[in-house]
Amino acid sequence: MKTRPESGRSWADASDGLRARLEPAGLTQVLGSARWNGTGAGDWHDDHGNLPPAGTVPEGLQYAFAWDVKAAPDGTRDGRTPRWYPQGITTTFDGYGGPHPALGRNIVAVSWYGKNGYGERGARVSFLDVTADSPNPVYQHVLLVEPRQVRADSRPTYRPVEMHAGGMAWVGNFLYIANRPGQSTTSRRGGMSVFDITKMVKVTGGEAFRDRFGYRNGKYYAYGYHYVLPLHHIYENAGGSDFQHSQLSLDRTQAGGHSIVSSEYTTATSGRAARWNLANSGYIADGDPDEGWSLRTERVQGAVSVTSGAYYSANSRRAHPNDPPLPGQLWKQMPRGSAPRKHRRLAVGPEDLSYDPAHGGSVWALGEHPFQRRVYRVGLDE
């Protein structure tokens, strides 16, 4: 892994230029202005009113909610839209070891990528207040952007960050988001794109302008979104590395300090995971991985490292591609690199994971399929 040099003026300079022209926005403001509320998970029907096949409620379920049924800023409906797909998940425990230090709230962040005509709109992150396992958590969407400024005297602007956003890890004020090779406009080699939460700004164009983006006629627009989160720096695969950064998580359970874990999605059992230790600043301490191991499980969508072991969320293989999706699986590997075993049933369409030591040890997970989307937490106890 290496940090990619920036071309032209730096992203940091462009972000500062945006903050000089627009209203800086912290999480207090972002969540305080949220207009959306999660709803109860209900009986895990598919939102068409049909009950799911038997066995699709996650085992060890502790908490869950569905997305708001109202339209999001760009007019799509979060629980059912085919234009945005949720992928990554992380929490303030990752970022700070507990509630947000300034807000005193437990916050979950979920990444989405645009699809089916929305790919050019890039990716977004939803911040959700799940304090006290709220049955109706408030949330706000923030669009991810690449800040741009050609010269010191030119107008700062931004463009969408087109990426799969397959996994996410909260590290202090940074959000690390996974890039598979060839799936991001800002990183063709694959790696991690890092966004600085302290650089968020509120744009001046509102929800009435869902098809406008960037600077126009004295205002800044973002496809109807109120807030944008600028790219800060990027880590890319070095040399001839073909590592597929499909998922990300943060590990706080190792004696040597905090680390980023990245893992691969493959349809075979040859997927890999790797760990990079973090400096106190939140940056990767060294470009070389500090540990690597084999997942030995196919179709892994999320991975967390916990002490000497690991847990994986994975899709289940269908007998025929046109068959309905099957419930996912949570696999346990103890120790890392050994033969994994099935540990828990997950919901249909499992994606990224995030470890939480509360409630006896648990993981946050989410489903991606329209009409079957839930965010939920399951216990790890046997």
Side-chain angles (χ1 to χ4, degrees), residues 23 62 64 72 97 128 134 162 218 244 253 286 289 308 341 358 360 371 376:
E23 180 182 351
Q62 297 177 341
L128 307 105
S134 170
E162 296 181 37
Q244 304 281 315
T253 67
D286 190 292
S308 61
R341 62 179 178 83
F371 297 97
Y376 56 98

Side-chain angles (χ1 to χ4, degrees), residues 168-169 247-251 259-262 303-305 352-354:
M168 183 166 54
Q247 309 108 30
L248 287 181
S249 61
L250 185 75
D251 186 0
S259 53
I260 286 281
V261 172
S262 183
V304 292
S305 167
D352 201 26
L353 293 176
S354 178

Side-chain angles (χ1 to χ4, degrees), residues 3-351:
T3 305
R4 197 193 75 186
E6 297 168 352
S7 58
R9 289 180 56 79
S10 73
W11 291 320
D13 287 342
S15 290
D16 290 342
L18 288 171
R19 287 173 65 82
R21 290 171 173 261
L22 296 169
E23 180 182 351
L27 284 177
T28 300
Q29 178 181 356
V30 167
L31 287 171
S33 62
R35 295 201 305 108
W36 296 273
N37 290 84
T39 62
D43 52 13
W44 295 75
H45 59 71
D46 66 0
D47 288 357
H48 286 298
N50 301 315
L51 289 175
T56 53
V57 177
E59 292 178 318
L61 183 65
Q62 297 177 341
Y63 170 61
F65 62 87
W67 297 94
D68 202 330
V69 298
K70 298 196 300 291
D74 58 8
T76 60
R77 298 182 183 274
D78 297 328
R80 59 190 65 182
T81 177
R83 292 179 166 177
W84 290 103
Y85 273 70
Q87 297 287 292
I89 190 165
T90 186
T91 73
T92 47
F93 171 76
D94 286 339
Y96 310 103
H100 190 280
L103 279 66
R105 315 296 291 176
N106 293 323
I107 301 169
V108 165
V110 171
S111 63
W112 309 63
Y113 75 99
K115 188 178 179 180
N116 298 324
Y118 266 42
E120 66 181 16
R121 300 197 176 198
R124 69 186 187 186
V125 171
S126 303
F127 292 99
L128 307 105
D129 187 344
V130 298
T131 305
D133 289 355
S134 170
N136 304 106
V138 298
Y139 66 91
Q140 180 75 276
H141 299 298
V142 177
L143 201 66
L144 301 179
V145 298
E146 178 187 0
R148 307 186 75 190
Q149 187 175 15
V150 178
R151 303 181 310 275
D153 60 348
S154 63
R155 180 187 303 114
T157 185
Y158 46 78
R159 65 180 180 182
V161 177
E162 296 181 37
M163 62 189 303
H164 191 71
M168 183 166 54
W170 197 328
V171 183
N173 292 323
F174 290 148
L175 285 180
Y176 279 67
I177 301 182
N179 285 327
R180 294 187 74 184
Q183 291 190 336
S184 171
T185 53
T186 57
S187 178
R188 294 296 181 185
R189 294 182 180 179
M192 311 174 196
S193 293
V194 187
F195 298 81
D196 188 344
I197 297 173
T198 67
K199 302 295 185 180
M200 278 193 296
V201 292
K202 183 178 182 180
V203 300
T204 44
E207 292 178 40
F209 301 95
R210 295 173 181 171
D211 294 322
R212 291 189 183 181
F213 184 84
Y215 184 85
R216 290 179 63 177
N217 301 322
K219 289 187 176 183
Y220 286 89
Y221 299 90
Y223 295 130
Y225 291 83
H226 289 277
Y227 302 95
V228 297
L229 174 57
L231 181 68
H232 189 269
H233 62 281
I234 281 178
Y235 295 101
E236 288 186 322
N237 284 337
S241 173
D242 62 350
F243 193 89
Q244 304 281 315
H245 295 270
S246 303
Q247 309 108 30
L248 287 181
S249 61
L250 185 75
D251 186 0
R252 286 177 165 267
T253 67
Q254 307 302 312
H258 305 162
S259 53
I260 286 281
V261 172
S262 183
S263 51
E264 297 179 312
Y265 173 86
T266 70
T267 56
T269 59
S270 56
R272 300 164 292 178
R275 176 196 310 282
W276 283 267
N277 288 335
L278 292 167
N280 291 335
S281 61
Y283 289 82
I284 289 177
D286 190 292
D288 297 323
D290 297 280
E291 182 187 4
W293 66 92
S294 173
L295 304 174
R296 300 181 64 181
T297 301
E298 66 176 5
R299 304 173 188 273
V300 170
Q301 297 279 11
V304 292
S305 167
V306 182
T307 60
S308 61
Y311 294 87
Y312 311 126
S313 60
N315 286 324
S316 300
R317 184 189 295 271
R318 291 177 280 183
H320 189 276
N322 292 329
D323 289 346
L326 297 171
Q329 296 289 337
L330 182 67
W331 293 79
K332 181 178 182 178
Q333 193 179 42
M334 184 66 76
R336 286 186 292 275
S338 64
R341 62 179 178 83
K342 291 184 178 180
H343 186 66
R344 287 275 192 269
R345 181 183 61 239
L346 297 178
V348 169
E351 285 295 325

